[in-house]
Amino acid sequence: MLSLQGMKRFQRLYLNLVNRRKDYIGNRAFMVLLAIQVGFLAALAAVFLKYVIHFIETDGIDFLPQIMYFFFPTIGILIVVSLYGRVFKSAAGFHGIGGVLDSIRKHSSILHYTLMYAQMITGAITIGLGGSSGLESPTVVTGSAIGSNSARFFRLNYKFRTLFIGCGTAATISAIFNAPIAGVIFATEVILPQFSATIFIPILISAATGAFFSELFLGDHVLFRIEGAVPFTLPEFPLLIVMGIFCGFLSLYYTKIFALSKFMLQQISNKWKRAVVGGLILGTVVYMLPVLFGEGYVGITQIISGDFHKIWQQSFFGVLNDSPVSMMLVFGALLLLKPLAASVTVHSGGEGGQFAPSFVTGGFAGFFFFLLARQVLPHSEILHPTNYILLGMGAVLAGVMHSPLTGIFLVAEVTESYDLLVGLMMVTAISFFTKIYFDRVPIHFKGSKSAAEIETTKHEFISLNNLKVSDIIDRSIVRIAPETPVTTVMEMLTRDEVKVMAVCDQERKLIGLLSDHQLRKLGRHSENWMQLQAKDIMVIPATWIDFRDQMDLVVYKFDTYNVDYLPVLNKGTLIGFVSRMSVLASFRESLKTSTDLLGD
């Protein structure tokens, strides 16, 4: 009894806090405080994961016999599959950045509270035991869930939940790389493609908070830092054009391998068999090239420091010498196998994303391109390897993730220099446009949407998905039989002032539509129109709206079929109509109410 009374007392205090919050603190100040909180919690999650993975990659696996590289990935994936099947059921099936965007688009920016910790655990297990995926995806999901649930705790609406998902994303990227500008840009470029200055401010605050605590807890010995970049010389710029095209095609290869591995592994219906098959494929790749164990940043650091022998020691290529041809063979294999390893990790049941793998693949590609250029070009002594590694990292990240600005500024921040900025802008832009020329779908949407739906989402999902189909349905249905004379239909249209009628059979199933526009056109073009029946002039609807459709899909249907009215069905039953004008009117109203999130 006391426990129940205590719960009721706590609930009253909570409701009083939420309801009276605006009496003591306005929206603007409250958003700032909440942005700091979200940034701090998201940064803690990122710092924890980064430290654990850094320890495993640098100290934890040195004592292992080589054969364990073959078995560890399978063990890690099996553990993750078991956790999602038994412990984290509510988080199962939620995958990375694509899952976050789907939550914004389809689930009113609500992320289950389990996601605040589930992917942190499964991501650490997957990558710590050799999964070749990215830590950024689990941390972005964790930060986004923290942001969404922080807003839900204070009973904030959809727009604020979406805003704080962006805050959590910015804080995690900022904390992992100590790169607050890249965190802000990634959040606004990928998560929130529509933003205003007022939305920008809380995201800046969260990113700055993440960078502060990252530096405080991790220090430079854990954070990914690269030194040694030098300004470009003028003769190199034609070479940068070629490199941009090269990285664009590599980005295309990456996304195709990602989609193909997903398709192939999904043919195995049993999740345990899929985990074993995928784990063994991954184990084979890692056994051949142990540098692919985990995220892969250690390998990039080794290349830049000149420890090339560590890249292929104890590997399938261990018999090779240090000749340029041998090195090109090794790094060619790395840039081809890293996308495969990352894709198999995720699609076989492990956790992780493609942000880090694309970044690392770009580093391998940049060094491979440098080696190739040194062999075929005269006066190649002016080329600097670190420059090309960094250019490749930014360019492939931009092509794979469709985030060119993030690629540019992330490289600039991890080098703590803007000496490469012009070259980065050129290579990244060319890579991005090369990739989207052949494939406009970013990797986090691969296999989940059509390109047309994604284009609609990019422009409209924040505003449109405030709306629901149920809010704009005209339920005043006028049903008529197919045999109804046209004269009767005209009288009904005039008397009832309706724009469209449903022609239904005896079982009340929709078989066609009649509108006043059709009747006006009929009167101008038919001499015997008074003898016609409804079935003679009705129009079979080109498509229909399901009661559960998202509003962006509704807009897509109106634009595709160029109609003014569409019927709305619920489990096959007609429940009303939606007009193009009602959608546009609701959209305009939504835009008006979302112009300033932080107004008091």
Side-chain angles (χ1 to χ4, degrees), residues 99 102 338 455 532:
D102 275 347
K338 181 63 178 180
E455 288 303 309
L532 299 175

Side-chain angles (χ1 to χ4, degrees), residues 45-62 123-131 133-136 139 175-176 214 217-225 293-299 301-302:
V47 164
F48 169 77
L49 272 178
K50 191 66 179 175
Y51 185 82
V52 169
I53 301 303
H54 174 80
F55 171 77
I56 292 173
E57 288 186 337
T58 56
D59 301 314
I61 62 173
D62 287 343
I125 293 171
T126 300
I127 300 170
L129 291 177
S133 56
L135 185 63
E136 291 78 10
T139 50
I176 289 172
S214 173
F217 292 126
L218 292 180
D220 288 337
H221 69 287
V222 174
L223 293 168
F224 183 61
R225 282 284 175 265
F293 189 100
E295 287 185 291
Y297 291 122
V298 172
T301 304
Q302 290 171 346

Side-chain angles (χ1 to χ4, degrees), residues 9-46:
R9 188 179 300 113
F10 174 79
Q11 187 177 24
R12 286 196 298 270
L13 288 172
Y14 163 67
L15 292 174
N16 187 57
L17 170 67
V18 171
N19 293 331
R20 300 193 61 186
R21 185 265 306 169
K22 291 189 70 173
D23 296 339
Y24 302 101
I25 182 170
N27 270 353
R28 294 178 187 275
F30 180 69
M31 292 302 105
V32 169
L33 294 176
L34 197 55
I36 293 173
Q37 175 200 304
V38 170
F40 171 70
L41 294 176
L44 285 183

Side-chain angles (χ1 to χ4, degrees), residues 57-330:
E57 288 186 337
T58 56
D59 301 314
I61 62 173
D62 287 343
F63 65 92
L64 293 175
Q66 186 180 358
I67 191 64
M68 294 308 296
Y69 288 115
F70 180 76
F71 292 108
F72 267 12
T74 304
I75 295 170
I77 293 171
L78 286 171
I79 293 172
V80 169
V81 170
S82 178
L83 286 174
Y84 278 134
R86 300 175 182 273
V87 182
F88 303 137
K89 292 182 179 180
S90 56
F94 192 99
H95 295 300
I97 295 167
V100 173
L101 293 174
D102 275 347
S103 295
I104 296 173
R105 179 176 176 268
K106 295 181 178 180
H107 303 293
S108 299
S109 295
I110 295 175
L111 281 76
H112 197 277
Y113 69 89
T114 309
L115 294 169
M116 291 193 293
Y117 55 85
Q119 294 208 355
M120 216 170 41
I121 297 171
T122 56
I125 293 171
T126 300
I127 300 170
L129 291 177
S132 197
S133 56
L135 185 63
E136 291 78 10
S137 178
T139 50
V140 164
V141 171
T142 301
S144 298
I146 289 171
S148 173
N149 285 281
S150 296
R152 289 177 66 192
F153 179 83
F154 290 100
R155 300 196 171 188
L156 301 178
N157 61 23
Y158 166 82
K159 291 173 289 187
F160 287 106
R161 292 194 299 270
T162 305
L163 167 63
F164 286 105
I165 285 175
C167 288
T169 298
T172 53
I173 296 296
S174 175
I176 289 172
F177 295 102
N178 194 23
I181 297 176
V184 171
I185 290 174
F186 184 77
T188 53
E189 188 175 34
V190 176
I191 305 298
L192 306 175
Q194 285 186 348
F195 62 94
S196 65
T198 52
I199 294 176
F200 201 68
I201 293 169
I203 295 175
L204 280 172
I205 293 169
S206 289
T209 304
F212 173 79
F213 285 103
S214 173
E215 184 76 25
L216 180 66
F217 292 126
L218 292 180
D220 288 337
H221 69 287
V222 174
L223 293 168
F224 183 61
R225 282 284 175 265
I226 296 178
E227 298 178 353
V230 299
F232 285 102
T233 58
L234 190 61
E236 289 183 78
F237 280 92
L239 187 61
L240 299 187
I241 297 174
V242 179
M243 184 178 181
I245 297 172
F246 171 72
C247 289
F249 279 106
L250 180 60
S251 302
L252 182 65
Y253 163 79
Y254 194 122
T255 55
K256 297 300 183 184
I257 286 292
F258 184 84
L260 179 62
S261 64
K262 180 177 182 179
F263 173 77
M264 297 299 291
L265 286 169
Q266 282 183 342
Q267 305 308 304
I268 307 173
S269 57
N270 185 288
K271 64 181 180 181
W272 301 105
K273 291 181 180 179
R274 188 188 310 131
V276 171
V277 171
L280 292 177
I281 294 173
L282 177 60
T284 302
V285 172
V286 174
Y287 180 78
M288 291 173 58
L289 283 164
V291 72
L292 297 178
F293 189 100
E295 287 185 291
Y297 291 122
V298 172
I300 298 297
T301 304
Q302 290 171 346
I303 299 171
I304 292 174
S305 63
D307 296 330
F308 303 118
H309 66 284
K310 291 184 179 180
I311 298 297
W312 61 79
Q313 70 178 359
Q314 297 182 340
S315 75
F316 180 80
F317 297 92
V319 297
L320 298 178
N321 56 28
D322 292 347
S323 69
V325 175
S326 297
M327 294 174 66
M328 287 176 59
L329 179 63
V330 172

Side-chain angles (χ1 to χ4, degrees), residues 480-483 501-514 534-535 538-541 567 569 572 574:
I480 58 175
E483 297 78 15
M501 291 183 171
V503 182
C504 301
D505 58 18
Q506 293 181 350
E507 296 179 355
R508 300 171 68 86
K509 294 292 182 65
L510 179 70
I511 60 174
L513 299 177
L514 261 178
K535 63 183 179 182
M538 71 180 185
V539 174
I540 298 174
L569 306 182
L574 178 67

